[in-house]
Amino acid sequence: MNAWLLLAGMLSALIGLAHSFLGEKLVLGPLFRRGGLPTLLGSSDFTRQTLRFAWHLTTVLLLGISLVIIVLALSPAAPQSAWILRVFATTFAVCSLVSLAGARGKHFSWWVFLVIALLLWFGA
């Protein structure tokens, strides 16, 4: 078992679940109650549905990546595992930079993504 990877996978799952829960409570709910959404394909309901499913797709992707990381953490190392993990590490590092720059450091996700990236890199 690779503890670096197991921790990275669990942290990725946790941030994915937090993204969905907090996003509904703090972003989507208030945004939808406010009204004045643009219409897509003739309907603000369609806009609302599109925003909601796009938001939660991020969680689905994070949970899927988490599962791959956890499976790799619990499996004997295969030659391609290091490449997969380094791609994930680089992806999380880029997410960290985008979050840091986009929110100017105010959104905590940048450091969680950075920790996940480092755990993956060292675990690879």
Side-chain angles (χ1 to χ4, degrees):
M1 180 187 74
N2 185 322
W4 298 94
L5 300 181
L6 191 58
L7 185 56
M10 291 187 310
L11 197 52
S12 177
L14 183 64
I15 198 169
L17 294 172
H19 180 266
S20 257
F21 178 76
L22 294 174
E24 275 292 335
K25 296 291 179 194
L26 302 176
V27 179
L28 297 176
L31 180 66
F32 296 157
R33 283 191 297 276
R34 184 176 176 194
L37 291 174
T39 57
L40 293 176
L41 299 178
S43 167
S44 60
D45 284 338
F46 185 75
T47 304
R48 193 176 296 104
Q49 292 168 345
T50 301
L51 288 171
R52 181 164 275 134
F53 84 71
W55 186 276
H56 293 295
L57 279 178
T58 303
T59 298
V60 171
L61 290 169
L62 277 167
L63 292 175
I65 290 169
S66 300
L67 185 58
V68 171
I69 294 167
I70 291 169
V71 166
L72 291 173
L74 300 175
S75 302
Q80 66 274 21
S81 297
W83 281 101
I84 293 167
L85 293 167
R86 289 207 171 101
V87 167
F88 285 162
T90 303
T91 302
F92 277 101
V94 170
C95 287
S96 177
L97 291 173
V98 169
S99 177
L100 178 63
R104 298 187 180 137
K106 293 178 184 175
H107 194 282
F108 72 93
S109 66
W110 75 267
W111 65 264
V112 179
F113 288 137
L114 180 60
V115 168
I116 294 169
L118 293 171
L119 288 168
L120 288 168
W121 194 265
F122 292 129

